[in-house]
Amino acid sequence: MMTLVNWQPWQEMEAMRRQFDRVFEDLATTKRVEPTWQPAAELKSNETEFVLRVQLPGIDAKDLDVKIGRSGVSLSGEHKVENKTEENGFFRSEFRYGKFQRVISLPSPVQNDQVNAEFKDGILTLTLPKVQAVRPSVVTLNLTGSDGSAESEAATIAPASDTSETGDAWAQS
């Protein structure tokens, strides 16, 4: 007895396209130079600024590229291998050499044109001032004038310093 199988050429062509895509993706990834390690980082925050510290032992400042955007910091560079030759000895190294890249997202925007940087003893310290957001304000209008007309001569603007964390000034009314 023979079983009939419906031939679906479009599905077979789609399967073949996916296989070709995988082959070309594999070729593309082998040509890219992937970072071999990532430096350790710590991020502290206070009311006015972020302080980002990154461990970069053995890295020269000339081998480091730092880019600061409003919402993140990108670090890349290379820790170059020292060319030491041992004549009659033994050499073992656990140091990490090669290229690295790290992108660190910041929880809120910073003023990237006012960053303070210090690179000392293999530690990069970036002081990133936070963007001072415009705080919402509540406007109170006196709509009843002395003659009963709707005037805004007694309008007062009160800063909304007691707003909730969402910044909703109406929640306090």
Side-chain angles (χ1 to χ4, degrees):
M1 176 175 209
M2 184 183 237
T3 305
L4 286 176
V5 177
N6 288 335
W7 183 48
Q8 297 177 345
W10 298 115
Q11 285 183 349
E12 290 184 23
M13 289 175 62
E14 180 64 21
M16 188 181 308
R17 185 192 61 79
R18 283 192 301 257
Q19 289 175 349
F20 275 118
D21 286 347
R22 278 190 227 123
V23 168
F24 288 118
E25 284 175 10
D26 291 343
L27 289 174
T29 57
T30 57
K31 290 183 181 180
R32 276 189 278 167
V33 177
E34 294 294 324
T36 58
W37 64 285
Q38 286 190 346
E42 68 181 18
L43 181 65
K44 294 186 231 178
S45 175
N46 61 34
E47 290 181 15
T48 60
E49 64 191 12
F50 293 108
V51 177
L52 175 66
R53 293 174 21 118
V54 183
Q55 287 183 340
L56 299 163
I59 308 287
D60 289 332
K62 64 180 173 51
D63 296 326
L64 186 60
D65 182 31
V66 180
K67 294 180 181 163
I68 302 169
R70 291 180 54 85
S71 61
V73 177
S74 172
L75 303 163
S76 61
E78 184 175 5
H79 187 201
K80 296 182 179 177
V81 178
E82 298 175 12
N83 292 327
K84 290 185 179 179
T85 56
E86 296 287 329
E87 295 285 327
N88 295 323
F90 175 78
F91 180 73
R92 177 181 174 185
S93 176
E94 294 182 356
F95 289 177
R96 294 182 179 190
Y97 294 103
K99 295 184 180 201
F100 65 89
Q101 181 176 359
R102 176 113 193 234
V103 176
I104 300 166
S105 297
L106 300 171
S108 63
V110 295
Q111 297 175 3
N112 59 347
D113 57 345
Q114 297 180 6
V115 174
N116 184 18
E118 179 185 9
F119 188 57
K120 182 178 178 184
D121 296 331
I123 305 288
L124 174 65
T125 304
L126 299 174
T127 305
L128 308 150
K130 293 180 181 179
V131 170
Q132 297 300 317
V134 178
R135 300 197 70 159
S137 60
V138 176
V139 177
T140 305
L141 297 176
N142 182 2
L143 297 178
T144 56
S146 60
D147 61 354
S149 64
E151 296 179 11
S152 61
E153 61 184 86
T156 59
I157 299 175
S161 59
D162 294 356
T163 59
S164 66
E165 287 188 21
T166 61
D168 186 7
W170 300 109
Q172 302 299 321
S173 299

